[in-house]
Amino acid sequence: MKKSFSILVGLCLAVFSFGQNDKPHYPIQPVPFTDVKITDHFWAPRLETVRTVTLPYTFGQCEETGRVKNFDIAAGNATGSFCGVYGFDDSDVYKIIEGASYSMQVHPDPKLDAYVDSLIEKIKEAQEPDGYLYTWRTINEKEKAAGVEKKDKTGDYYKGTDKRWVHEDEHSHETYNLGHLYEAAVAHFLATGKRSLLDIAIKSADLVDKNFGWEKGKLQQATGHQEIELGLVKLYLVTNEKRYLNLAKFFLDVRGYKGEEYNQNHKKVKDQREIVGHAVRACYMYAAMADVAALTGSKEYIPALNAIWEDVVGKKMYLTGGIGSSGSNEGFSKPYDLPNYSAYNETCASIAFVYWNQRMFQLTGESKYIDVLERTLYNALDAGLSLSGDRFFYPNPLESRKNVERSPWFQCACCPSNVSRFFPSLPGYVFAKRGNEVFVNLYASSETTVENINSRNQSVKVKISQVTEYPYDGKIKLTIEPEKPNTFTLNIRIPGWAQGDAVPFDLYGFANHDGSFAQVLLNGKKYFGKITNGYMAIERKWKTGDQVDLILPMPIQQVKGNSKIEADADRYAIQRGPLVFVLEGKDQSDDRILSVYVSKEADFTSQFEPELLGGVQTISFEGGLVEKKTAPDAGELKPLKLKAIPYFAWANRGKDNMLVWLPNSFESVRPLAQPTIASKSKITASEGIKGELSAVADQWKPRNSDDHENPFVHWWPHFGSTEWIQYDFENEEQIGTARIYWFDDEASEGGCRVPKSFVIKYLENGEWKNCYSPDGWKVVKDDWSEVEFEPVKTSALRLEMVGQEGVSLGVHEWEVR
């Protein structure tokens, strides 16, 4: 069973060999993670933390939040209503089972094995007799049958009288859950040889196949959240049941009938050319399209995949490799709309982006896909999990104003469970094979053994090992040890950043590349080979002891954004090797780094600090805090020595200021804010407020009411409510003027609007009284609501707002004087 697992386990990476040489499959196969041992100082400790901390922690959260109990309730083994908010909570359990299965194959764990078996038994009992498995609906059906009357809280997921699947192309997530079930089932079967979860998955897939398809009488309906397509492909590969592959293709081809960009149902998938909508949905779908293209031999999806990939990498990707800039749709906005403070960059989207890029590499053999994969992996994705392994980012912004920290869990916990399944399979991204070609894609101290064929058609085992301190050092030593001399090609990836290209297109570029390039030594002598598709190919008869040294230059690079990226204008970021670096307040003598200025001519030095954040490379340089602007291009500076840390390591010490893009022009710097009556006040607000209260007095003027780049507070989802914000002054103050900048995200289709009315009250002898404004209280959108009132001497003011019906309130700024 271990050998078959080694061939198949790379399914999570689209490994499709299966010995089916007479059938279409990916031309390039990753070496399965079970055949790659990582021993470095960067990833090995990370993977051990995930195994020993993250997996048990996330299972524990599923127990505490009722996700596991939902299966018991659905089975009739417990009582109560559905535990949780979302119908897709089942998927979290499946994803963590998948990660645990990967872990058990590499690190046998009888206790974990028994626990997973107990979960599978609960899932089996929750499955309805015909194979339907969706605890949300099953539990609600039981309550309805028992005459339980309850307020309809299920919304689009299930309305109490609907048939199965009715809301599948909206938000029910019935098939989304099942996709993760199928992936978990295949992983568990291959890890343990047990069919317990696989049989549940097959029973479910047969029911889905009975209900969906092109045949008369079946539902010709797309999935609302793509995922089952990936799971069905894996089921096909492990069962050889082609109905599952055909069904995956059906779910792709049926799209295009609703005109909805959010879930990519606006056009036929083969006709799509631009990445739009929800980022995770999109990347799962494009990964599935690559799977189906590879396994059917069809080329119909390839033009779409190429164009869409170029669109996201060329116009919509962050420097960190994160994707999906907009929080309103958890996805994509217009080209070059890449704000930093409000950047969404969902962790799940980074994982899905890695899956898609890996598949594109397997189809083409082009290293640009691994270049992007590496950027995402080392930056946006790795930041999604704390160094401790038990705290998680959902969004991953590129700027923080002490408003962001990782969370122990979320009501929508897709990111923690996705992290739990991704990292255990990470070693499978290091090496790949195509016939007698071996690709070295990622660099980490590691070893693997592959099987090649010699001229006599005999199998020859070849051990390949890496020794390196990557990503902090660019020296990589590869040792080749065939059991007997063997002719094959070793393809060594030369990253784009080591060739002077920050990214494959012109979205980002190095400001002053020093002209250094990679060097390759073969047995100590310089090797001059041609770089094709990003790889230096060395074809020879290899013998034991042969050695290849790859030396990747790692100068500290200033990165400039494309001139069309408004948020990065007159700024640069710092990159060294594959890592993006940030300023975080705790590493500076003055943490007010949001007002920092750094010259283009700054001198940078780099050093490894073993005691900082578990051991990280840091970059030191000098800059200054802009205390006051004296002209558009000049100001008063307070000199400041600065230290930058890798992006993935930030926010492991609590909330803090953080900056990726550093101003190199006074015009792009916000000077230090001077104390005001409001900023020195104690700020309180009515219950349910979201956001940092200090935001309303931080003196950051928004560009408009829908400006997400400036901090704001809001009361969503309090609809049509009356809310308040209160300033308690240090001493009594005489106030007669105020102005408010309302938050209103109608333009981005959000749920907050300017108020129907507002008034300012003052405290007198313990009683709140209305201030008198002769000109009234005028509400203004996209500018200040300025009001003058009869001056009052008071110790406190209260801004009281009445919301419009059906929407919520929000405030950017409230100034008083």
Side-chain angles (χ1 to χ4, degrees):
M1 178 50 62
K2 184 170 182 178
K3 184 175 181 181
S4 66
F5 183 87
S6 296
I7 299 173
L8 301 173
V9 72
L11 283 164
C12 63
L13 306 171
V15 178
F16 300 128
S17 49
F18 290 88
Q20 300 178 27
N21 295 324
D22 57 328
K23 297 180 180 180
H25 56 81
Y26 277 102
I28 299 174
Q29 315 290 329
V31 175
F33 74 87
T34 50
D35 292 348
V36 179
K37 183 178 181 181
I38 289 181
T39 57
D40 72 343
H41 297 117
F42 189 86
W43 288 120
R46 191 74 158 148
L47 300 183
E48 184 64 7
T49 297
V50 171
R51 183 180 76 86
T52 59
V53 177
T54 310
L55 282 169
Y57 178 84
T58 50
F59 270 136
Q61 288 295 312
C62 286
E63 295 275 6
E64 291 180 22
T65 58
R67 283 165 168 79
V68 173
K69 185 180 179 181
N70 284 332
F71 292 99
D72 287 331
I73 299 172
N77 296 325
T79 59
S81 299
F82 184 88
C83 303
V85 177
Y86 300 109
F88 49 78
D89 284 355
D90 295 356
S91 69
D92 297 323
V93 179
Y94 302 148
K95 282 184 278 186
I96 304 169
I97 288 176
E98 181 184 350
S101 298
Y102 297 148
S103 178
M104 286 190 291
Q105 178 60 22
V106 180
H107 297 277
D109 186 335
K111 184 178 178 180
L112 179 60
D113 189 19
Y115 176 69
V116 170
D117 283 346
S118 71
L119 292 178
I120 293 171
E121 186 60 29
K122 293 175 185 290
I123 295 168
K124 178 182 178 180
E125 293 184 9
Q127 188 172 36
E128 296 185 22
D130 64 352
Y132 187 77
L133 184 53
Y134 181 54
T135 65
W136 180 290
R137 179 185 171 90
T138 301
I139 291 170
N140 278 280
E141 285 287 289
K142 286 179 179 292
E143 290 186 314
K144 184 175 69 174
V148 176
E149 292 188 14
K150 52 194 297 186
K151 183 179 180 181
D152 177 24
K153 68 170 185 176
T154 55
D156 289 334
Y157 300 107
Y158 169 67
K159 291 184 167 61
T161 58
D162 298 329
K163 295 180 180 179
R164 294 172 177 175
W165 321 115
V166 167
H167 299 290
E168 174 49 38
D169 62 357
E170 298 170 354
H171 299 290
S172 75
H173 291 76
E174 286 158 282
T175 64
Y176 169 81
N177 285 355
L178 297 179
H180 283 301
L181 168 68
Y182 302 165
E183 293 200 72
V186 171
H188 182 258
F189 169 66
L190 297 172
T192 67
K194 302 173 186 177
R195 291 188 59 94
S196 51
L197 193 57
L198 183 63
D199 287 341
I200 295 169
I202 289 172
K203 188 175 182 180
S204 164
D206 288 343
L207 177 69
V208 176
D209 185 54
K210 183 179 178 181
N211 281 272
F212 290 88
W214 297 116
E215 297 88 346
K216 185 177 180 180
K218 290 187 177 183
L219 293 168
Q220 294 180 11
Q221 188 170 306
T223 56
H225 192 311
Q226 300 89 315
E227 161 58 24
I228 195 173
E229 300 86 351
L230 293 168
L232 285 166
V233 167
K234 291 188 179 182
L235 272 186
Y236 158 67
L237 288 166
V238 82
T239 64
N240 205 28
E241 176 55 73
K242 196 168 183 179
R243 285 185 297 117
Y244 302 148
L245 178 60
N246 292 339
L247 187 56
K249 190 174 189 307
F250 160 79
F251 279 128
L252 294 172
D253 291 344
V254 76
R255 310 189 82 81
Y257 60 86
K258 293 195 75 170
E260 290 184 0
E261 291 189 344
Y262 174 75
N263 59 11
Q264 298 78 39
N265 200 358
H266 60 301
K267 292 181 181 180
K268 290 291 184 183
V269 295
K270 65 183 180 63
D271 297 328
Q272 296 182 25
R273 293 295 184 271
E274 179 185 0
I275 198 158
V276 296
H278 190 270
V280 181
R281 285 170 163 87
C283 290
Y284 280 174
M285 185 176 82
Y286 301 133
M289 287 168 64
D291 284 353
V292 173
L295 294 172
T296 63
S298 171
K299 304 295 184 184
E300 63 178 325
Y301 298 151
I302 301 303
L305 288 171
N306 289 338
I308 295 165
W309 189 85
E310 291 179 10
D311 182 57
V312 64
V313 175
K315 300 175 183 177
K316 299 173 183 176
M317 180 181 73
Y318 281 92
L319 182 64
T320 58
I323 57 170
S325 62
S326 171
S328 62
N329 65 347
E330 294 188 317
F332 299 99
S333 179
K334 60 186 179 182
Y336 307 104
D337 181 27
L338 296 165
N340 294 309
Y341 172 75
S342 62
Y344 201 70
N345 288 340
E346 183 181 340
T347 298
C348 282
S350 292
I351 292 172
F353 197 35
V354 165
Y355 289 160
W356 179 25
N357 274 286
Q358 174 72 10
R359 286 160 164 84
M360 294 298 288
F361 158 72
Q362 289 179 243
L363 280 173
T364 66
E366 295 183 42
S367 72
K368 64 184 180 181
Y369 300 110
I370 302 299
D371 286 352
V372 172
L373 183 157
E374 179 184 63
R375 177 173 296 278
T376 303
L377 173 64
Y378 276 95
N379 297 289
L381 195 162
D382 198 27
L385 178 66
S386 67
L387 298 178
S388 62
D390 58 358
R391 294 296 183 269
F392 310 90
F393 270 149
Y394 197 116
N396 290 271
L398 279 75
E399 181 179 323
S400 170
R401 301 168 194 171
K402 295 187 178 181
N403 63 307
V404 175
E405 64 181 336
R406 292 179 183 84
S407 297
W409 196 247
F410 307 95
Q411 278 191 330
C412 173
C414 53
C415 294
S417 55
N418 229 351
V419 163
S420 298
R421 73 171 180 142
F422 173 80
F423 277 109
S425 65
L426 176 61
Y429 293 86
V430 178
F431 300 97
K433 281 203 78 211
R434 176 172 58 193
N436 262 25
E437 292 182 81
V438 177
F439 294 81
V440 185
N441 282 335
L442 298 181
Y443 297 112
S445 290
S446 57
E447 63 180 48
T448 189
T449 298
V450 300
E451 289 191 13
N452 288 335
I453 303 297
N454 65 15
S455 58
R456 299 179 182 179
N457 206 32
Q458 297 171 324
S459 176
V460 180
K461 291 184 177 180
V462 181
K463 180 181 176 182
I464 302 173
S465 59
Q466 295 187 49
V467 176
T468 180
E469 291 299 326
Y470 196 88
Y472 299 137
D473 192 294
K475 297 176 183 176
I476 301 105
K477 185 184 298 293
L478 289 156
T479 303
I480 316 300
E481 299 179 86
E483 59 183 2
K484 50 187 172 183
N486 180 234
T487 300
F488 67 92
T489 301
L490 186 69
N491 293 312
I492 302 171
R493 182 176 67 93
I494 310 299
W497 55 259
Q499 301 183 61
D501 297 321
V503 292
F505 305 108
D506 67 351
L507 191 61
Y508 304 104
F510 296 140
N512 299 294
H513 185 255
D514 65 2
S516 59
F517 292 96
Q519 297 181 50
V520 176
L521 305 180
L522 177 59
N523 293 327
K525 297 181 179 180
K526 284 189 177 181
Y527 181 85
F528 298 96
K530 183 180 179 182
I531 298 176
T532 304
N533 290 330
Y535 290 92
M536 176 80 76
I538 306 176
E539 183 180 9
R540 69 192 304 268
K541 179 175 279 190
W542 299 89
K543 60 184 184 299
T544 295
D546 280 344
Q547 185 174 296
V548 176
D549 290 283
L550 173 63
I551 304 168
L552 298 174
M554 286 192 171
I556 300 166
Q557 302 278 15
Q558 294 181 23
V559 184
K560 295 291 292 181
N562 187 294
S563 60
K564 297 177 182 177
I565 307 175
E566 182 181 343
D568 302 338
D570 296 319
R571 295 170 180 261
Y572 64 79
I574 303 172
Q575 179 176 328
R576 182 178 182 273
L579 297 176
V580 174
F581 284 74
V582 306
L583 292 180
E584 189 171 15
K586 286 184 174 60
D587 298 306
Q588 324 308 329
S589 59
D590 190 322
D591 71 356
R592 295 175 295 176
I593 55 173
L594 300 173
S595 296
V596 75
Y597 162 83
V598 182
S599 168
K600 298 176 184 178
E601 284 73 43
D603 291 324
F604 298 92
T605 59
S606 182
Q607 51 282 319
F608 183 77
E609 298 193 34
E611 303 303 318
L612 179 64
L613 296 165
V616 294
Q617 198 81 15
T618 63
I619 295 174
S620 299
F621 51 101
E622 293 190 358
L625 292 178
V626 179
E627 295 184 319
K628 182 172 68 175
K629 284 188 180 180
T630 57
D633 58 352
E636 296 179 2
L637 282 178
K638 172 187 174 183
L640 190 65
K641 292 184 177 181
L642 298 167
K643 179 193 290 185
I645 63 171
Y647 176 82
F648 75 83
W650 90 276
N652 279 283
R653 297 167 290 183
K655 294 182 180 180
D656 206 349
N657 291 320
M658 183 274 287
L659 203 59
V660 171
W661 289 94
L662 312 178
N664 58 27
S665 162
F666 281 95
E667 293 183 6
S668 61
V669 182
R670 175 184 178 273
L672 293 173
Q674 301 303 312
T676 65
I677 295 173
S679 68
K680 293 188 294 182
S681 300
K682 176 185 176 183
I683 309 174
T684 54
S686 54
E687 187 176 354
I689 194 169
K690 295 179 177 67
E692 295 293 320
L693 283 174
S694 59
V696 299
D698 63 8
Q699 303 174 60
W700 288 71
K701 181 185 176 182
R703 292 174 299 174
N704 52 57
S705 290
D706 193 31
D707 186 357
H708 287 70
E709 279 296 272
N710 280 288
F712 57 88
V713 296
H714 65 90
W715 284 267
W716 192 89
H718 291 193
F719 302 134
S721 58
T722 298
E723 310 292 353
W724 54 266
I725 298 173
Q726 181 174 321
Y727 288 158
D728 286 281
F729 307 134
E730 293 179 341
N731 302 294
E732 279 197 341
E733 300 281 356
Q734 182 161 310
I735 309 292
T737 302
R739 61 179 189 169
I740 305 99
Y741 211 115
W742 307 108
F743 174 69
D744 183 315
D745 57 359
E746 182 178 15
S748 56
E749 300 182 355
C752 291
R753 301 292 183 272
V754 296
K756 181 167 61 177
S757 63
F758 76 99
V759 68
I760 293 175
K761 298 186 174 186
Y762 67 98
L763 189 65
E764 183 178 82
N765 298 323
E767 181 182 352
W768 289 105
K769 297 182 177 180
N770 288 349
C771 294
Y772 171 63
S773 173
D775 298 325
W777 308 86
K778 185 180 179 181
V779 175
V780 178
K781 180 178 175 180
D782 295 326
D783 206 343
W784 293 100
S785 286
E786 300 195 49
V787 60
E788 293 186 358
F789 46 87
E790 291 295 324
V792 296
K793 192 168 187 179
T794 181
S795 62
L797 286 180
R798 177 176 284 189
L799 171 64
E800 189 171 284
M801 305 149 274
V802 178
Q804 300 180 48
E805 191 68 28
V807 291
S808 303
L809 292 159
V811 176
H812 272 293
E813 199 77 14
W814 176 27
E815 295 180 357
V816 298
R817 56 186 184 273

